[in-house]
Amino acid sequence: MNVDTPYLSDIQEIISHRYDNGYDLWATVDKKLLKGAPFTTLESVLYLLELGVSPQEPILQAAQNLIFSNWKEDGRIKTSPTGGIYPCHTALAVCALCHMGCANDKRIQKSFSYFLDTQQKDGGWKRNKYSFGRGEETVYSTPYTTLVVLDLMRFSPFLNKDTRLDKAVDFLLEHWTIRKPISPCHYGIGTLFMQIEYPFRGYNLFYYVYILSFYEKAKKDKRFLEAFNILEQKTVNGKIPVERNVPKLSKLTFCRKGYPCELATKHFNEIQENINVSNGNIKQAIFRTNRKGEAHAKTL
């Protein structure tokens, strides 16, 4: 592998797990792509891409072929040979393929259409599996699935050109106000959400702000600016610290818990570029949001 990076040991560590689940490419013998977290097929390819491994490397080309082998004519991707095909699983698989440079593939174009055609009335997407019963919170779409869909849709020709994606953005911004656990999967905005998790692999403040920063609908919204302001206050000398991670990633140097992270900081810099913090209107909006937060804190 021809990789010029200070993270070579991390790359080697991730690749060392490729047979852990019984087959090659982090998959199980029956080709499950989401088994064995955090070293699943769909997660591991994203780690390697994050560390600078080219999508053209044989290992990622093989993983790409494995994921595509589960693609269906309606645009969905089956990540397990048994059970249903859920929007959340398809979203994770399509997102991985988009990050590998496959957005122009006709199959992915069909997957983009699948998501736009199956959007819920509230603007999001959800898995119709009610493991926690059918409480009133389950009428809502799933915030995490919706966030992943917006992640993959930024590779599509619909980015900032389709009002259906604006509706999805509104759904996630409304969750910033609702806060409580919603959807059949009970995703909420609480203590764990507010902790910076990196690499991106769950519903949390950093991933939330990062993806929404690509959408014009979000950039000047007060709720987004509040979220960005909280994230900005967590920086240490301009760098993003990792506040939460899973123990099995502790051997990796690029995402050490409790330390500033160079690669995470690159994403924070992208956020700043996306919202154009040098623009006076944005800076004033952030300032007003911050002052309001300070005033609220003093009255508690």
Side-chain angles (χ1 to χ4, degrees), residues 34 46 48 55 76 108 138 238:
L34 279 170
L46 291 176
L48 294 179
R76 296 180 299 164
I108 297 300
T138 62

mmCIF file with all atom_site columns, all heavy atoms in Angstrom, residues 34 46 48 55 76 108 138 238:
data_model
loop_
_atom_site.group_PDB
_atom_site.id
_atom_site.type_symbol
_atom_site.label_atom_id
_atom_site.label_alt_id
_atom_site.label_comp_id
_atom_site.label_asym_id
_atom_site.label_entity_id
_atom_site.label_seq_id
_atom_site.pdbx_PDB_ins_code
_atom_site.Cartn_x
_atom_site.Cartn_y
_atom_site.Cartn_z
_atom_site.occupancy
_atom_site.B_iso_or_equiv
_atom_site.pdbx_formal_charge
_atom_site.auth_seq_id
_atom_site.auth_comp_id
_atom_site.auth_asym_id
_atom_site.auth_atom_id
_atom_site.pdbx_PDB_model_num
ATOM 1  N N   . LEU A 1 34  ? -22.389 -5.057 8.798  1.00 0.00 ? 34  LEU A N   1
ATOM 2  C CA  . LEU A 1 34  ? -22.488 -4.220 9.996  1.00 0.00 ? 34  LEU A CA  1
ATOM 3  C C   . LEU A 1 34  ? -22.335 -5.035 11.279 1.00 0.00 ? 34  LEU A C   1
ATOM 4  O O   . LEU A 1 34  ? -22.881 -4.687 12.311 1.00 0.00 ? 34  LEU A O   1
ATOM 5  C CB  . LEU A 1 34  ? -23.832 -3.483 10.007 1.00 0.00 ? 34  LEU A CB  1
ATOM 6  C CG  . LEU A 1 34  ? -23.907 -2.218 9.149  1.00 0.00 ? 34  LEU A CG  1
ATOM 7  C CD1 . LEU A 1 34  ? -25.340 -1.730 9.042  1.00 0.00 ? 34  LEU A CD1 1
ATOM 8  C CD2 . LEU A 1 34  ? -23.018 -1.117 9.731  1.00 0.00 ? 34  LEU A CD2 1
ATOM 9  N N   . LEU A 1 46  ? -14.419 3.622  6.108  1.00 0.00 ? 46  LEU A N   1
ATOM 10 C CA  . LEU A 1 46  ? -14.434 5.063  6.387  1.00 0.00 ? 46  LEU A CA  1
ATOM 11 C C   . LEU A 1 46  ? -13.229 5.475  7.216  1.00 0.00 ? 46  LEU A C   1
ATOM 12 O O   . LEU A 1 46  ? -12.674 6.560  7.014  1.00 0.00 ? 46  LEU A O   1
ATOM 13 C CB  . LEU A 1 46  ? -15.733 5.450  7.101  1.00 0.00 ? 46  LEU A CB  1
ATOM 14 C CG  . LEU A 1 46  ? -17.002 5.349  6.249  1.00 0.00 ? 46  LEU A CG  1
ATOM 15 C CD1 . LEU A 1 46  ? -18.237 5.657  7.094  1.00 0.00 ? 46  LEU A CD1 1
ATOM 16 C CD2 . LEU A 1 46  ? -16.937 6.297  5.052  1.00 0.00 ? 46  LEU A CD2 1
ATOM 17 N N   . LEU A 1 48  ? -10.269 4.104  7.056  1.00 0.00 ? 48  LEU A N   1
ATOM 18 C CA  . LEU A 1 48  ? -9.120  4.121  6.135  1.00 0.00 ? 48  LEU A CA  1
ATOM 19 C C   . LEU A 1 48  ? -9.149  5.356  5.240  1.00 0.00 ? 48  LEU A C   1
ATOM 20 O O   . LEU A 1 48  ? -8.114  5.989  5.002  1.00 0.00 ? 48  LEU A O   1
ATOM 21 C CB  . LEU A 1 48  ? -9.100  2.846  5.293  1.00 0.00 ? 48  LEU A CB  1
ATOM 22 C CG  . LEU A 1 48  ? -8.841  1.546  6.060  1.00 0.00 ? 48  LEU A CG  1
ATOM 23 C CD1 . LEU A 1 48  ? -8.871  0.348  5.108  1.00 0.00 ? 48  LEU A CD1 1
ATOM 24 C CD2 . LEU A 1 48  ? -7.504  1.597  6.808  1.00 0.00 ? 48  LEU A CD2 1
ATOM 25 N N   . PRO A 1 55  ? -9.161  5.514  -2.372 1.00 0.00 ? 55  PRO A N   1
ATOM 26 C CA  . PRO A 1 55  ? -10.226 4.562  -2.740 1.00 0.00 ? 55  PRO A CA  1
ATOM 27 C C   . PRO A 1 55  ? -9.792  3.577  -3.817 1.00 0.00 ? 55  PRO A C   1
ATOM 28 O O   . PRO A 1 55  ? -10.450 2.560  -4.005 1.00 0.00 ? 55  PRO A O   1
ATOM 29 C CB  . PRO A 1 55  ? -11.344 5.476  -3.253 1.00 0.00 ? 55  PRO A CB  1
ATOM 30 C CG  . PRO A 1 55  ? -11.060 6.823  -2.685 1.00 0.00 ? 55  PRO A CG  1
ATOM 31 C CD  . PRO A 1 55  ? -9.562  6.911  -2.589 1.00 0.00 ? 55  PRO A CD  1
ATOM 32 N N   . ARG A 1 76  ? -31.928 0.113  -2.796 1.00 0.00 ? 76  ARG A N   1
ATOM 33 C CA  . ARG A 1 76  ? -31.574 -0.263 -1.428 1.00 0.00 ? 76  ARG A CA  1
ATOM 34 C C   . ARG A 1 76  ? -30.341 -1.175 -1.424 1.00 0.00 ? 76  ARG A C   1
ATOM 35 O O   . ARG A 1 76  ? -29.966 -1.743 -2.448 1.00 0.00 ? 76  ARG A O   1
ATOM 36 C CB  . ARG A 1 76  ? -32.746 -0.978 -0.750 1.00 0.00 ? 76  ARG A CB  1
ATOM 37 C CG  . ARG A 1 76  ? -33.982 -0.110 -0.558 1.00 0.00 ? 76  ARG A CG  1
ATOM 38 C CD  . ARG A 1 76  ? -35.101 -0.892 0.116  1.00 0.00 ? 76  ARG A CD  1
ATOM 39 N NE  . ARG A 1 76  ? -35.508 -2.038 -0.687 1.00 0.00 ? 76  ARG A NE  1
ATOM 40 C CZ  . ARG A 1 76  ? -36.230 -3.065 -0.214 1.00 0.00 ? 76  ARG A CZ  1
ATOM 41 N NH1 . ARG A 1 76  ? -36.605 -3.076 1.059  1.00 0.00 ? 76  ARG A NH1 1
ATOM 42 N NH2 . ARG A 1 76  ? -36.559 -4.064 -1.024 1.00 0.00 ? 76  ARG A NH2 1
ATOM 43 N N   . ILE A 1 108 ? -25.801 4.241  -7.539 1.00 0.00 ? 108 ILE A N   1
ATOM 44 C CA  . ILE A 1 108 ? -25.917 5.209  -6.443 1.00 0.00 ? 108 ILE A CA  1
ATOM 45 C C   . ILE A 1 108 ? -26.915 6.300  -6.799 1.00 0.00 ? 108 ILE A C   1
ATOM 46 O O   . ILE A 1 108 ? -27.663 6.777  -5.942 1.00 0.00 ? 108 ILE A O   1
ATOM 47 C CB  . ILE A 1 108 ? -24.544 5.808  -6.097 1.00 0.00 ? 108 ILE A CB  1
ATOM 48 C CG1 . ILE A 1 108 ? -23.605 4.716  -5.585 1.00 0.00 ? 108 ILE A CG1 1
ATOM 49 C CG2 . ILE A 1 108 ? -24.680 6.917  -5.056 1.00 0.00 ? 108 ILE A CG2 1
ATOM 50 C CD1 . ILE A 1 108 ? -24.103 4.004  -4.340 1.00 0.00 ? 108 ILE A CD1 1
ATOM 51 N N   . THR A 1 138 ? -42.684 7.575  18.713 1.00 0.00 ? 138 THR A N   1
ATOM 52 C CA  . THR A 1 138 ? -42.324 6.771  17.539 1.00 0.00 ? 138 THR A CA  1
ATOM 53 C C   . THR A 1 138 ? -42.972 7.268  16.249 1.00 0.00 ? 138 THR A C   1
ATOM 54 O O   . THR A 1 138 ? -42.709 6.712  15.186 1.00 0.00 ? 138 THR A O   1
ATOM 55 C CB  . THR A 1 138 ? -42.695 5.289  17.762 1.00 0.00 ? 138 THR A CB  1
ATOM 56 O OG1 . THR A 1 138 ? -44.107 5.178  17.939 1.00 0.00 ? 138 THR A OG1 1
ATOM 57 C CG2 . THR A 1 138 ? -41.986 4.730  18.973 1.00 0.00 ? 138 THR A CG2 1
ATOM 58 N N   . GLY A 1 238 ? -8.033  26.164 19.432 1.00 0.00 ? 238 GLY A N   1
ATOM 59 C CA  . GLY A 1 238 ? -8.480  26.032 18.047 1.00 0.00 ? 238 GLY A CA  1
ATOM 60 C C   . GLY A 1 238 ? -8.576  24.616 17.544 1.00 0.00 ? 238 GLY A C   1
ATOM 61 O O   . GLY A 1 238 ? -8.915  24.394 16.376 1.00 0.00 ? 238 GLY A O   1
#
